[in-house]
Amino acid sequence: QLAREKELYLSFVTDMLCRKIENKNLIYSGRSGHLLFPGVRKILRVGLGVPMEIRVNNASKKLGLPFEKTQDYLKYLDEDIEKWNHYVHREQASDRSNYDLFLNLENLSLANASVLLQKTAELTDFQLSDKNLSLLEDLHLAARARLHLARDKETAGLNLGIRARDKVVTVTYMPRQESAATSISQALNSLEGCRENLCTMAETNIL
């Protein structure tokens, strides 16, 4: 149940962000935003490193807590974020290899950091190519397919593996769900942008 809810959450976020992309441009700020759109390159993934003392001072003023309690709060918050990333994305939030650019704000002002970001984003290395746009469209279609099936009363409770490529959606269901194959295919017939759908049965009951 939790695994299915996680996939629905990721599909919802993917769908919403893809809908907001205009002219290949979108700026998204989130604690695990750099882990979204797996496999799609040319997206500038940026991390910010803020010294703990600055974080504590800012949070202390905002929350109205003493320095020591604010320090403890941020410690537990960081641990929760790490657990969240590990569960949802199977990645470590602190792993800097997942970033294209990591800025340490200890000796860098926000104003200058923004200049660096703008200049970096304008590089050809981070201009979405047709190939990467196609991959993004595939991720969006797969996300929409999962949400579409979750809204259909015949397929809402199924644990499914879903992927898309070139407007073809492939759904993998578990052997014990074999009777639902027809319902899956019928539900996807009304999915906008889906040229064809294929349903395959997994070899085991573990997706």
Side-chain angles (χ1 to χ4, degrees):
Q1 179 69 19
L2 286 176
R4 189 165 61 86
E5 294 296 330
K6 181 184 76 170
E7 293 300 330
L8 285 173
Y9 163 77
L10 288 172
S11 294
F12 173 77
V13 175
T14 299
D15 179 41
M16 292 303 296
L17 291 180
C18 285
R19 290 177 185 273
K20 291 181 178 296
I21 294 177
E22 295 182 3
N23 299 322
K24 303 182 182 181
N25 290 319
L26 176 69
I27 298 175
Y28 174 70
S29 174
R31 298 185 187 278
S32 58
H34 62 295
L35 298 174
L36 297 172
F37 305 136
V40 181
R41 305 183 64 182
K42 303 285 187 177
I43 293 177
L44 178 58
R45 294 170 169 90
V46 182
L48 293 178
V50 183
M52 180 57 72
E53 184 176 354
I54 296 178
R55 292 182 62 199
V56 173
N57 286 332
N58 290 339
S60 179
K61 293 176 182 178
K62 183 178 181 179
L63 301 174
L65 295 175
F67 188 91
E68 292 76 13
K69 287 189 176 181
T70 305
Q71 202 169 25
D72 291 338
Y73 164 76
L74 290 177
K75 175 184 175 183
Y76 293 130
L77 178 63
D78 289 343
E79 291 176 354
D80 283 344
I81 293 171
E82 192 66 58
K83 291 177 182 177
W84 164 263
N85 277 278
H86 186 266
Y87 173 69
V88 176
H89 300 284
R90 298 179 183 178
E91 294 281 357
Q92 291 184 329
S94 57
D95 186 355
R96 297 190 182 184
S97 66
N98 290 318
Y99 297 100
D100 299 301
L101 180 66
F102 195 92
L103 300 175
N104 184 356
L105 297 185
E106 183 174 6
N107 298 310
L108 181 66
S109 68
L110 285 174
N112 287 333
S114 67
V115 172
L116 282 175
L117 286 179
Q118 180 182 352
K119 296 299 182 182
T120 305
E122 292 173 351
L123 296 174
T124 56
D125 301 289
F126 299 107
Q127 304 304 310
L128 283 173
S129 63
D130 291 341
K131 178 181 179 180
N132 285 283
L133 283 173
S134 179
L135 290 174
L136 197 60
E137 290 173 358
D138 289 342
L139 287 176
H140 190 196
L141 179 58
R144 291 196 298 109
R146 186 176 297 280
L147 295 173
H148 190 79
L149 292 172
R151 296 187 185 104
D152 189 284
K153 64 180 182 179
E154 299 294 331
T155 58
L158 301 177
N159 293 317
L160 304 170
I162 301 174
R163 65 182 186 275
R165 184 174 183 181
D166 297 330
K167 298 184 179 182
V168 176
V169 176
T170 301
V171 179
T172 304
Y173 56 87
M174 292 181 282
R176 58 184 173 81
Q177 299 172 329
E178 185 175 4
S179 59
T182 301
S183 297
I184 294 171
S185 183
Q186 289 177 345
L188 289 176
N189 285 336
S190 59
L191 178 62
E192 184 180 352
C194 178
R195 175 169 55 84
E196 182 182 359
N197 68 79
L198 304 173
C199 294
T200 61
M201 184 172 66
E203 295 182 358
T204 68
N205 278 317
I206 301 177
L207 286 178

